[in-house]
Amino acid sequence: MRSSSVAAAASAAVLVTLASASRGQSTGGFSLDRFEPAPAGDVFFGVPSPAAPGHLEPRVHAMLDYAYRPIHSGGDTPIDLVSSQAFLRLDASLALWDRLLLSVDAPLAVSQGGDDPGIPGVEFTELAAPELGDLRFGARVRLLGRDAGPFQLGLGGYLFVPTGSPAQYTGDAEARGAFHASLGGRLGTARSSLGFLWNASGGVDFGGGPNQPQQATFGGAAALLFGGDLLQLGAEVYAAAPLGDELLLSSTPVQREDASVNAELLLGAKLRVLGGLTFGAAVGPGLTNAIGTPPVRAVGMVGWAPLPAPAPERAQASAVAGDKDDDGIDDHIDACPDVKGDPSPDPAKDGCPPADRDGDAVLDIDDACPSTPGARSAEPTENGCPDDSDDDGFHDGIDACPSVRGGPSDDPKKVGCPGDADGDGIADASDACPKLKGPASKNPKQNGCPDDPDGDGVRGAADACPNERGHSDPDPRQNGCPKFVRVSADEITTSRPVQFVVYGKTRTQTVDPVSDEILVEVRDAIQQNPDIELVEVQGHTDDSGTEGYNLRLSQQRAEAVLSWLVAAGVPREKLVARGYGFEQPLGDNRVKTGRQKNRRVQFMIIKRKGQP
């Protein structure tokens, strides 16, 4: 087994012999460049796509392909028989009927060079530029899938015309052909911020003369798209494997070399602006040490290719091209040209949706419930659907409660069922606690409520006030109820007045701690009734003193209570303080008991949810 350096040196010697022989014989030399660019407009640099988008839409690009040391030998004295080779390629393609793509590639070697290996008896042919390469003509047809869809299948081929120079390693001695199949697709639309592209191909090359062996070709590529089609970042691998153990590099004189695989990796980016102006660059290493595989290859390009149209525009373009329903099947073979369908080996069903998936004798095209068997109906929204026993608008096939009228739900297990916000199985209409999950109860006030919904420690039916936090009491009518506070429709009433402490002659008021127990229950009442959105804390006085004095006094007391409640946890936006002075008396100010009744603080509910 020879080492890689010995093999490389031997290869170099063989190629020099070929180059020398080519001066007097037509059998020496061959096309060295193993990079075959994809047709103009394809998404990747070297791996061909299966797509053929558009009709009469041209695409062009100019590409510079640079290979560093495509033929070199190792050893103590490295030899670069071909130290570099750069091709300028002018490519164009034309799409027809959204199905066929015709292309041409015109390569020109603009720079190449190499070293004389100094082998005795072998005349070295100096490499020159510019030199024409082999002109390539291509054709590709998309067999399956739609343009810019997630999966496409295409079949293509190339014809290489021997316009290049075998002696200069820019062309083959005879015409060469190549066929390949391509798979590929796209995830994400032209409007998506992130998309994904993939391609894979495989084929065979043949012809080109005795120095160009037949070979199997294959490749794969993947890329991410950012900002629709603005920026593409990806990687691609392409390779060629000789079909045989040895290569016949020359027939006169006979020169053979061990078969080896050419393989390269490219990491590239493309930027698309102004509707299709494309700039691209890629670089990557050779993955093998075969003849024609450089240690490094760099590619740069600029071109024009129309960007994929949004879905509605693609559908319109497909209709013009003869595919009105945009299902990828041309109208002339589509048995249902106006309805998107699937391919079928039966010509009578090709391009049609599944005829009758639920087997109810109502074709899917007319079936309002195509996956659920039902009866035929003159009403289009009910045709082919099961009965609707409870007449709630949800047929029995999807109605989770077919005998009880209900409403819509995102949960299939609740479609057509009465509302049950807490999911405890008790309809909201009879649930005493519709937002708290609880068991059923014969007591309407406890039905659907947890054991202790107000969290006061008094559970179940023993709680006379199950939705108000209270205290244990030997009186069953008071057990679990607040001691001092009750909530009505428009007021939180207290059974004892709030008292204040008066400091000195300044008459500055603050809440007396003896009233803390009362205000705690006021706070709990507000927190346990989330529908209460605004409470007015009212301050009132008797008629002792002037009107201005009593207004200030009542306002100060209302604000003192408001501050206490905010400090205790009531949101500030739920409270407003207002003093009324002696404007709204409850008792007779001429007697002591009346004046005591008039000196008070009240908590009026002035706004609930749903109320103006």
Side-chain angles (χ1 to χ4, degrees):
M1 180 66 70
R2 296 176 298 172
S3 68
S4 59
S5 60
V6 173
S11 300
V14 170
L15 291 172
V16 172
T17 303
L18 290 177
S20 175
S22 68
R23 292 191 172 208
Q25 304 168 17
S26 62
T27 57
F30 55 88
S31 177
L32 177 62
D33 194 4
R34 291 298 181 261
F35 174 71
E36 286 297 341
D42 273 15
V43 294
F44 292 102
F45 292 92
V47 180
S49 162
H55 179 61
L56 295 177
E57 289 188 358
R59 296 164 172 82
V60 295
H61 75 225
M63 177 179 289
L64 184 64
D65 159 29
Y66 174 79
Y68 174 65
R69 301 175 68 198
I71 303 180
H72 63 280
S73 65
D76 296 334
T77 306
I79 301 173
D80 293 332
L81 184 62
V82 181
S83 60
S84 66
Q85 193 175 47
F87 279 89
L88 175 64
R89 299 177 180 272
L90 300 179
D91 284 34
S93 66
L94 181 68
L96 300 172
W97 308 293
D98 201 36
R99 185 73 62 174
L100 176 66
L101 186 77
L102 304 178
S103 64
V104 61
D105 172 49
L108 177 69
V110 294
S111 173
Q112 57 179 354
D115 300 332
D116 186 346
I119 300 176
V122 175
E123 182 179 356
F124 175 69
T125 301
E126 184 175 355
L127 300 182
E131 286 284 346
L132 288 174
D134 286 348
L135 193 63
R136 185 189 79 184
F137 296 94
R140 181 170 74 216
V141 61
R142 176 170 56 86
L143 300 178
L144 293 176
R146 61 177 176 82
D147 179 33
F151 176 83
Q152 298 178 69
L153 170 64
L155 188 65
Y158 298 130
L159 173 63
F160 296 82
V161 180
T163 53
S165 170
Q168 292 291 323
Y169 302 131
T170 63
D172 291 318
E174 300 175 9
R176 177 162 59 97
F179 289 101
H180 63 265
S182 296
L183 299 173
R186 173 187 180 128
L187 301 178
T189 68
R191 299 184 187 277
S192 301
S193 59
L194 181 64
F196 177 74
L197 298 172
W198 68 277
N199 273 359
S201 68
V204 60
D205 284 10
F206 57 91
N211 298 333
Q212 184 67 272
Q214 295 186 12
Q215 55 187 358
T217 59
F218 45 90
L224 290 175
L225 290 172
F226 300 91
D229 286 270
L230 178 64
L231 178 63
Q232 172 183 325
L233 301 177
E236 49 191 292
V237 175
Y238 51 89
L243 300 176
D245 295 333
E246 290 187 338
L247 307 182
L248 177 63
L249 299 180
S250 174
S251 57
T252 308
V254 174
Q255 298 286 351
R256 298 181 183 274
E257 177 66 16
D258 290 344
S260 56
V261 175
N262 296 94
E264 297 184 37
L265 169 67
L266 278 181
L267 303 176
K270 287 188 177 182
L271 179 68
R272 301 178 179 91
V273 295
L274 302 178
L277 182 61
T278 305
F279 300 91
V283 65
L287 303 179
T288 65
N289 196 31
I291 294 174
T293 299
V296 177
R297 183 183 300 277
V299 178
M301 58 83 64
V302 59
W304 170 263
L307 296 179
E313 298 177 21
R314 288 203 306 272
Q316 183 179 3
S318 296
V320 174
D323 183 12
K324 290 184 289 184
D325 55 13
D326 192 29
D327 59 1
I329 302 171
D330 287 346
D331 292 343
H332 71 282
I333 61 173
D334 196 332
C336 300
D338 297 314
V339 182
K340 184 175 291 189
D342 302 320
S344 172
D346 183 353
K349 298 180 180 179
D350 195 17
C352 294
D356 184 15
R357 283 174 287 172
D358 55 14
D360 59 2
V362 181
L363 293 179
D364 288 353
I365 194 172
D366 300 318
D367 198 332
C369 303
S371 59
T372 307
R376 189 177 298 277
S377 171
E379 176 60 42
T381 59
E382 299 177 3
N383 193 26
C385 293
D387 292 336
D388 183 9
S389 302
D390 53 14
D391 196 29
D392 60 359
F394 302 95
H395 63 75
D396 294 350
I398 62 172
D399 197 333
C401 302
S403 59
V404 182
R405 291 175 62 88
S409 174
D410 294 334
D411 185 351
K413 296 180 180 180
K414 297 181 181 179
V415 171
C417 292
D420 181 15
D422 55 14
D424 59 3
I426 300 172
D428 292 345
S430 57
D431 196 332
C433 302
K435 296 183 179 180
L436 297 173
K437 185 178 294 187
S441 172
K442 294 181 180 180
N443 182 358
K445 294 184 178 180
Q446 246 340 80
N447 192 31
C449 292
D451 287 344
D452 187 16
D454 56 11
D456 61 4
V458 183
R459 300 181 177 278
D463 197 337
C465 301
N467 296 315
E468 296 178 76
R469 184 175 299 168
H471 307 275
S472 298
D473 196 296
D475 184 353
R477 294 172 298 177
Q478 295 297 321
N479 194 27
C481 294
K483 289 182 180 180
F484 310 106
V485 170
R486 288 293 185 273
V487 180
S488 64
D490 56 1
E491 184 177 4
I492 301 173
T493 60
T494 60
S495 60
R496 281 169 40 184
V498 177
Q499 297 185 37
F500 298 85
V501 176
V502 180
Y503 294 99
K505 296 181 180 180
T506 60
R507 309 289 291 177
T508 301
Q509 283 73 35
T510 185
V511 177
D512 194 317
V514 299
S515 297
D516 288 356
E517 195 173 8
I518 299 171
L519 294 179
V520 165
E521 290 191 359
V522 173
R523 177 202 64 187
D524 292 343
I526 296 173
Q527 292 179 340
Q528 292 170 20
N529 290 271
D531 61 319
I532 297 177
E533 291 190 343
L534 188 61
V535 175
E536 185 179 78
V537 181
Q538 297 183 352
H540 300 273
T541 68
D542 59 20
D543 62 353
S544 300
T546 65
E547 180 180 357
Y549 165 81
N550 282 293
L551 280 174
R552 289 193 302 273
L553 179 62
S554 60
Q555 183 68 32
Q556 289 171 353
R557 289 182 172 177
E559 289 176 353
V561 172
L562 183 147
S563 298
W564 193 101
L565 292 173
V566 170
V570 178
R572 177 63 180 82
E573 63 271 15
K574 286 194 172 189
L575 301 172
V576 61
R578 184 176 178 185
Y580 289 87
F582 51 71
E583 295 175 357
Q584 299 179 6
L586 292 180
D588 190 345
N589 278 312
R590 294 174 300 175
V591 297
K592 181 178 180 180
T593 56
R595 290 195 299 273
Q596 289 176 343
K597 185 179 293 185
N598 292 335
R599 296 193 295 270
R600 69 192 186 279
V601 173
Q602 288 182 266
F603 305 90
M604 305 304 295
I605 300 171
I606 61 175
K607 187 178 180 183
R608 290 180 181 267
K609 282 185 179 178
Q611 294 180 349

